[in-house]
Amino acid sequence: MPRPAAPLVRSKPALLGGKPLVTPAMRVTWPPRGEPERKAILEVLDSGQWWRGGTRQQMAQSVTGRFERAFAKWQGAKHALCVSNGTAALELALKAGGVEAGDEVIVPALSFVATATAVPLIGARAVFADADPETYQTDPASVEAAITPRTKAIVVVHYGGYCADMDRFTKLAKKHKLLLIEDCAHAQGSQWRGRGAGSWGDAGCFSFQQSKALTAGEGGAVISNSDVLAEKLYSYHHLGRLEDQGFYDFHRVAWNLRLTEWQGAILNEQLKRVKKLTLIKQRNGAWLSKRLEQLGGLLPLKRDPRITRRGYYFYLMRYDARAFGGLTKARFFQALQAEGLPVSQAYGRAIQRNPVFAQMKDERGRLIYARTSTPNADRICAETQLTLGHTALLSRPLLEAFVASVERIRAHASEIRDQGKDAARAAG
Ligand SMILES: Cc1ncc(COP(=O)(O)O)c(C=O)c1O
């Protein structure tokens, strides 16, 4: 088993005054960019066509239309429609899928807040489902237990770019005749059994916000294999117009969620890059998982061979304090940060613990989520979840520094723990 040189493990971690192991040269700047993006933007500038046109045909011929076709193909779906951001993509998919005020929509407790806020934004009620402690993905059993006669839809998230169990979720949705929406904001490039995330449910919703693996700064898309749904998605994103009717004929109360050609131009170039970068991240992610399994105590997510390509947003890990002399996750995290590593604790708490849901009341003034229980998601957030941002997977030297950091923190775990206690005592 390759190990860092013994003196490195014995050297003091940065939190105890040692030299941080990460140097600026190890970091990768994000987003990737260069001459192709510059040229694409200038072409849009010179064309004078800065929005993507009004009719279905004009939209298809636009720069953004070109991206939609290539993106749909890459993710394995028949249709793709670009929209202004990932939150709007979720609202749009729910609305076009027929969710109405008063309906219940089951959402994951472990995700970014927008996975859930999209639901009350269209007047429906979010019902939270728990996560699986070994994969951090939405737990199908918890979703099934939350189904009531008012349930209209299930939203699952491919958290971190790992895939939710689409075998079970497609079966569950079919059995209960529910709309199935995949939140793929983290899953550009991910594949389940050889087909793209987002192409398994009724619709897959993507974000192209700055931090994502495929980005235009802001932006989003909804993919689908249904012609009927695609027509509704088009209409609801375009002020209620219909594909074959006049430009000033409006048929639905609807938003303007159109993406600009600037973003479409960037996305065409970024798509070429992400196809290559996904494979590099996948290779480096597999290397890191192997190293962490050898070390123990900070494990990757459980392997699932049905995930045939792993897109990444977070490289997610499961921390076990017992392997680090009882060092809390919060303290271990501080020690990693001190080394200069791009680590995070993701969103920090189950979604419904945020004030927006914790204080949300029903029509009779009762707190809606006071009794919502998601013990796995709570424990994951408090005790086990740590992440490396996906850009770290583009730098093998940074990953090596990460592994070495974990080893030297472990070698000094009791000192770090006691120093934390002293500091807490001194603070009173
Ligand atoms: C899981 C998830 N869903 C939805 C969104 C919303 O995307 P956007 O920021 O583009 O609105 C995000 C954004 O980070 C996300 O992480």
Side-chain angles (χ1 to χ4, degrees):
M1 173 164 94
R3 300 188 68 82
L8 188 56
V9 177
R10 279 202 301 273
S11 66
K12 268 196 187 308
L15 194 65
L16 298 176
K19 195 166 167 231
L21 289 182
V22 175
T23 62
M26 291 177 187
R27 290 175 173 274
V28 173
T29 56
W30 193 260
R33 56 200 181 272
E35 204 42 45
E37 283 78 10
R38 193 168 294 125
K39 188 163 168 277
I41 285 284
L42 287 176
E43 275 170 17
V44 172
L45 180 77
D46 292 339
S47 75
Q49 190 66 21
W50 297 352
W51 80 318
R52 62 181 309 204
T55 68
R56 189 62 167 144
Q57 205 187 5
Q58 283 169 320
M59 285 200 178
Q61 285 163 354
S62 67
V63 169
T64 306
R66 178 149 49 88
F67 168 74
E68 286 171 342
R69 284 187 293 283
F71 184 64
K73 191 166 168 214
W74 192 48
Q75 288 295 148
K78 187 170 177 193
H79 304 280
L81 179 76
C82 279
V83 294
S84 45
N85 57 63
T87 309
L90 287 163
E91 283 175 67
L92 177 65
L94 290 167
K95 185 83 186 168
V99 174
E100 289 173 3
D103 289 340
E104 289 179 3
V105 177
I106 301 171
V107 298
L110 191 65
S111 184
F112 182 61
V113 71
T115 313
T117 43
V119 176
L121 273 167
I122 62 160
R125 179 174 291 189
V127 175
F128 291 92
D130 209 353
D132 180 305
E134 291 189 315
T135 65
Y136 293 179
Q137 305 303 306
T138 322
D139 175 13
S142 175
V143 169
E144 185 152 30
I147 294 173
T148 75
R150 290 180 298 281
T151 307
K152 189 68 187 269
I154 302 169
V155 180
V156 295
V157 64
H158 300 297
Y159 188 58
Y162 191 99
C163 288
D165 186 337
M166 294 318 292
D167 293 359
R168 297 212 22 216
F169 282 116
T170 46
K171 252 193 224 140
L172 200 58
K174 201 165 165 203
K175 177 174 157 197
H176 296 274
K177 297 193 173 56
L178 299 174
L179 182 76
L180 179 59
I181 306 291
E182 298 173 63
D183 182 342
C184 305
H186 296 176
Q188 296 89 347
S190 293
Q191 279 188 349
W192 177 259
R193 294 189 185 278
R195 213 176 76 212
S199 71
W200 292 86
D202 294 288
C205 302
F206 290 81
S207 163
F208 302 134
Q209 171 271 339
Q210 171 98 10
S211 63
K212 304 299 186 305
L214 172 61
T215 180
E218 294 280 7
V222 184
I223 65 171
S224 159
N225 286 312
S226 155
D227 296 344
V228 174
L229 189 61
E231 187 282 321
K232 289 192 179 137
L233 292 166
Y234 168 85
S235 180
Y236 276 114
H237 108 294
H238 199 25
L239 293 147
R241 293 184 171 95
L242 298 182
E243 294 187 3
D244 54 357
Q245 301 283 313
F247 188 69
Y248 288 115
D249 294 336
F250 303 99
H251 299 261
R252 293 182 170 109
V253 178
W255 304 277
N256 166 12
L257 303 176
R258 295 183 303 261
L259 197 74
T260 67
E261 288 286 81
W262 307 107
Q263 291 157 293
I266 294 278
L267 286 169
N268 274 318
E269 299 309 320
Q270 292 286 308
L271 183 60
K272 293 178 205 156
R273 291 185 193 272
V274 74
K275 287 179 181 175
K276 290 188 195 135
L277 296 182
T278 301
L279 300 180
I280 296 172
K281 288 182 208 165
Q282 179 165 278
R283 210 164 41 240
N284 284 337
W287 176 86
L288 180 59
S289 296
K290 211 161 147 198
R291 289 292 289 120
L292 292 180
E293 277 160 4
Q294 287 165 347
L295 287 181
L298 183 64
L299 291 176
L301 296 180
K302 184 178 149 191
R303 283 169 204 260
D304 188 336
R306 296 170 297 177
I307 302 169
T308 44
R309 190 168 65 206
R310 174 75 200 272
Y312 275 103
Y313 182 60
F314 293 137
Y315 180 91
L316 290 159
M317 293 165 283
R318 297 175 284 156
Y319 178 68
D320 181 353
R322 290 169 306 184
F324 293 84
L327 195 64
T328 62
K329 176 169 76 111
R331 193 77 182 131
F332 180 73
F333 173 65
Q334 280 177 349
L336 289 174
Q337 274 189 314
E339 300 292 348
L341 289 156
V343 284
S344 85
Q345 303 194 69
Y347 307 118
R349 52 187 158 179
I351 295 178
Q352 78 277 9
R353 311 277 171 227
N354 284 283
V356 56
F357 288 105
Q359 292 163 15
M360 196 177 277
K361 293 183 178 159
D362 65 14
E363 47 297 332
R364 290 204 250 157
R366 295 171 305 194
L367 290 171
I368 299 174
Y369 299 103
R371 293 198 313 194
T372 296
S373 168
T374 56
N376 291 342
D378 291 334
R379 184 168 173 270
I380 289 167
C381 292
E383 294 175 25
T384 70
Q385 175 174 241
L386 286 167
T387 88
L388 261 179
H390 65 96
T391 63
L393 297 176
L394 295 172
S395 168
R396 186 64 78 85
L398 192 130
L399 296 182
E400 280 165 7
F402 176 70
V403 173
S405 299
V406 172
E407 289 206 274
R408 79 172 183 174
I409 291 166
R410 174 141 67 189
H412 295 81
S414 49
E415 264 175 89
I416 294 174
R417 190 193 56 214
D418 294 345
Q419 195 205 50
K421 279 188 197 149
D422 292 347
R425 239 178 265 127

